Structures are given as C-alpha cells and as structure tokens.
C-alpha cells in the first residue's frame, strides 16, 4: 500500500492558494480514480487503486506546518513504510508550472516537509515538488504563498497538476523511473 498526501491548509480562505497546490493534486486524483475523502487520522482520506497498486490519498487537516502529525498517524495505522509515502507540495525553487520528483533529502526550507521529516524520523520518502516560482521582490513570503495564482499562471499550474497525476502512475511502481521521465533538466524543460 502507498500513501499519497497533498499538503495545504484547510478552510475557504486558503482555497486555490499557492500553498494548497498539494490539495489540488489530491482533488484531481480523486476525480480520476473515483475516490471519496472522509475525515480520519487528522486528514481527509480515502483508498483506491492506481492500476493494481492500492493507495491512500490524504489531505492533512492539521495546517501545513503540522502536516507530519497526520502523515505519521496514517503511516502507523496502515503500517506504511516511509519509502512508500509520496508528499505533494509547493516549491518556490521550481519554475511555475513545472514539477520535480525527489526521493529522500532535506526539507528545502519547506515547513510542512520539515514537520513530516520530524514525525517520520527520517527523510526517506518521495516528494512531488510543484513549482510556484520565486516570490517577487518586496513581497512577504506568507503573502506570496498564501496568495492565489493569477489567471496567466493558472494554465501552467493546471498542466503541472496533470503532470503530477500522471507521474504517480509511475511513482507507485518505481520512483526513479518517474524522476527520469518527469524531472526538469537542461534540454528537457518538462514539456
């Protein structure tokens, strides 16, 4: 069984914000795989299949900076190893609308990922980092990540959401194959 969790903040005031891109990917996965999310383990979660792999989709409801509380509860209850967890989150260092798949490594300064590392006791889990672009000069970080995507960026974000969903078909089988196919690199701009 694999756990796929999108990070974000609950509540209408955060809906469609840059920081909630992980929630948007999980919502799209729910549509694709006909999965209903219900409250359990401090998250909205549901089970289903990607091809023949059993998955749990989750949207932690603990707010971004405490995401690890929910992830740990789910992983413990279902006996899911860290290497079978994929976290989907926003990333300032990835260009808008691009994705980068990562296995293992530091939080990169992302507080939600930092809290998950703390609660899981290690960095050995997968991430789909979705680019929200760099904060404009003069903006406060909170204002930027909690702000909404302008219409000219939303098209690229929707493309990234679809790529993230497509990548999960491979990640559930082999994260390294997914990294080779989807990661941004020179000469392959993830298009």
């Amino acid at each position: 069984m694999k756990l796929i969790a999108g990070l974000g903040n609950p509540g209408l005031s955060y809906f469609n914000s840059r920081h909630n891109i992980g929630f948007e990917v999980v919502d799209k996965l729910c549509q694709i795989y006909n999965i209903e999310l219900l409250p359990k383990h401090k998250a909205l979660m549901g089970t289903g299949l990607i091809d023949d792999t059993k998955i749990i989709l989750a949207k932690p409801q603990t707010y971004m900076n405490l995401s690890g509380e929910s992830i740990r509860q789910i992983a413990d209850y279902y006996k899911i190893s860290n290497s079978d967890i994929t976290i989907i989150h926003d990333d300032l260092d990835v260009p808008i609308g691009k994705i980068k798949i990562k296995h293992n490594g530091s939080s990169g300064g992302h507080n939600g990922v930092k809290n998950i590392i703390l609660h899981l006791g290690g960095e050995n889990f997968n991430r789909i980092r979705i680019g929200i672009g760099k904060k404009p000069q003069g903006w406060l970080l909170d204002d930027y990540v909690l702000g909404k995507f302008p219409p000219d960026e939303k098209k690229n974000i929707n493309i990234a959401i679809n790529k993230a969903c497509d990548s999960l078909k491979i990640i559930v089988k082999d994260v390294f194959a997914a990294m080779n196919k989807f990661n941004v690199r020179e000469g392959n701009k993830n298009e």
Side-chain angles (χ1 to χ4, degrees), residues 65-148:
N65 294 352
L66 300 176
S67 297
E69 293 177 11
S70 172
I71 301 300
R72 179 62 189 256
Q73 279 189 22
I74 297 167
D76 284 352
Y77 185 84
Y78 292 96
K79 298 178 177 38
I80 299 171
S81 68
N82 288 5
S83 60
D84 287 327
I85 297 172
T86 300
I87 303 297
I88 307 160
H89 64 89
D90 60 299
D91 196 300
L92 294 161
D93 294 323
V94 177
I96 290 173
K98 306 298 181 189
I99 70 169
K100 182 150 186 166
I101 299 165
K102 181 178 176 182
H103 174 74
N104 216 337
S106 73
S107 68
H110 192 286
N111 289 331
V113 176
K114 194 179 299 181
N115 190 258
I116 292 168
I117 291 169
L118 174 72
H119 281 274
L120 292 180
E123 301 171 344
N124 184 34
F125 56 90
N126 306 317
R127 302 100 197 259
I128 300 176
R129 300 163 50 202
I130 300 185
I132 61 169
K134 298 240 181 260
K135 159 185 90 63
Q137 191 170 356
W139 282 54
L140 295 173
L141 182 60
D142 283 355
D143 290 342
Y144 182 68
V145 298
L146 297 177
K148 313 275 188 220

Side-chain angles (χ1 to χ4, degrees), residues 139-176:
W139 282 54
L140 295 173
L141 182 60
D142 283 355
D143 290 342
Y144 182 68
V145 298
L146 297 177
K148 313 275 188 220
F149 291 105
D152 62 319
E153 292 178 3
K154 193 62 182 165
K155 179 183 173 194
N156 288 334
I157 290 303
N158 289 334
I159 291 168
I161 289 169
N162 289 329
K163 283 183 188 171
C165 292
D166 289 344
S167 75
L168 281 158
K169 294 176 192 171
I170 302 172
I171 290 172
V172 297
K173 304 285 187 200
D174 182 349
V175 67
F176 300 104

Side-chain angles (χ1 to χ4, degrees), residues 8-32:
N9 288 309
L12 284 177
S13 60
Y14 299 106
F15 184 72
N16 280 336
S17 69
R18 290 179 181 89
H19 225 20
N20 274 32
I21 194 74
F23 278 11
E24 288 191 58
V25 173
V26 169
D27 290 341
K28 181 76 172 184
L29 289 165
C30 287
Q31 290 174 5
I32 294 169

Side-chain angles (χ1 to χ4, degrees), residues 55-67:
I55 62 162
I56 296 171
L57 294 180
K59 292 166 49 174
Q61 300 295 289
T62 51
Y63 289 91
M64 179 68 78
N65 294 352
L66 300 176
S67 297

